[in-house]
Amino acid sequence: MIKTRTKVLIIDDNYSILEYLKTILSRYNFEIKTSRNGYEGLQDVAEFKPDIIFLDLMMPNIDGIQMLQLKKVLNDIKDIPVIVISANAGRNNVMAAMEAGADRVLSKPINIKQLKSTVDEVLGGSYFESNFSTTNEFSNGNVKDKECSILREKFGEFREDLQSAIKNRDSVSIKRIASLLKEYAKEFANTE
């Protein structure tokens, strides 16, 4: 019997968060789709039929609370668990998200251990241990060496963008890329 990959939909208007979550989860063999706003996310939920959704609260057009409210009344998607990830995880936002239908709320910046335990708890399994151990890329050799290799590869992906941003003195892009690479490095440094 072929084991299907767990499908994850990440809905966030912040590119760095999308890429960061995508990188972390893809290491554990999740099938991932990303959406940049609530309207796109709602369409992707219906088409992609994810097993779990990561949702930002503050987004253009349809925000996270509105999306949770819509999800509750749409029969095809109402039972999909949602983990809200928000930069503003104060008591009022947490309560509003939970009342609207979120299963859990995590704050940004994302704590990897908390993320893993929350996903396992919400989905009812050990998705990180079992998926990580079945990923062929990591089945042989030193895991730290593989992680460093991935980090070098990620840097290579951003090298051209970074060089262009430096040449054009685009401080916003430089900071975004640096922040993303820093988060990758921090994630690899904190692996168990």
Side-chain angles (χ1 to χ4, degrees):
M1 181 175 151
I2 297 173
K3 183 182 178 195
T4 60
R5 293 178 8 181
T6 303
K7 296 167 86 173
V8 177
L9 176 62
I10 306 165
I11 308 168
D12 199 314
D13 62 333
N14 183 318
Y15 177 78
S16 295
I17 296 295
L18 285 176
E19 287 300 307
Y20 181 61
L21 283 171
K22 185 176 177 181
T23 299
I24 292 166
L25 296 171
S26 64
R27 291 175 59 216
Y28 294 93
N29 206 25
F30 289 93
E31 182 178 346
I32 301 158
K33 182 157 184 66
T34 61
S35 306
R36 296 292 303 259
N37 62 58
Y39 179 74
E40 185 181 301
L42 202 54
Q43 290 178 316
D44 288 341
V45 171
E47 294 170 10
F48 184 59
K49 303 219 184 314
D51 298 300
I52 190 168
I53 300 169
F54 288 95
L55 177 65
D56 185 25
L57 288 183
M58 305 300 292
M59 293 183 297
N61 59 48
I62 301 172
D63 68 26
I65 297 293
Q66 292 168 326
M67 186 157 175
L68 285 166
Q69 292 167 339
L70 287 168
K71 187 185 93 58
K72 273 202 291 194
V73 298
L74 298 172
N75 287 334
D76 290 350
I77 63 173
K78 70 180 182 183
D79 295 326
I80 299 171
V82 176
I83 297 174
V84 166
I85 297 182
S86 178
N88 185 359
R91 180 175 163 79
N92 289 340
N93 277 352
V94 170
M95 294 301 292
M98 296 300 282
E99 287 174 7
D103 292 271
R104 297 289 184 283
V105 178
L106 297 176
S107 63
K108 296 176 186 176
I110 300 164
N111 176 302
I112 303 304
K113 288 182 181 180
Q114 187 178 24
L115 173 84
K116 290 177 180 181
S117 67
T118 301
V119 169
D120 284 348
E121 182 182 330
V122 167
L123 291 177
S126 296
Y127 289 83
F128 292 90
E129 290 178 22
S130 61
N131 284 337
F132 186 74
S133 65
T134 60
T135 304
N136 289 335
E137 182 179 4
F138 294 98
S139 60
N140 295 319
N142 185 316
V143 173
K144 288 289 182 196
D145 289 344
K146 300 289 185 185
E147 289 169 348
C148 288
S149 173
I150 290 172
L151 186 57
R152 280 191 298 275
E153 181 182 312
K154 284 294 170 194
F155 181 78
E157 289 175 19
F158 291 112
R159 177 178 289 157
E160 193 173 305
D161 292 339
L162 186 57
Q163 287 172 335
S164 174
I166 291 169
K167 181 180 177 185
N168 296 321
R169 297 181 184 209
D170 181 356
S171 63
V172 173
S173 293
I174 292 169
K175 287 178 184 174
R176 177 186 58 79
I177 294 167
S179 174
L180 192 57
L181 290 170
K182 182 180 174 184
E183 289 301 317
Y184 287 135
K186 194 184 316 178
E187 151 61 14
F188 294 136
N190 292 330
T191 42
E192 299 160 40

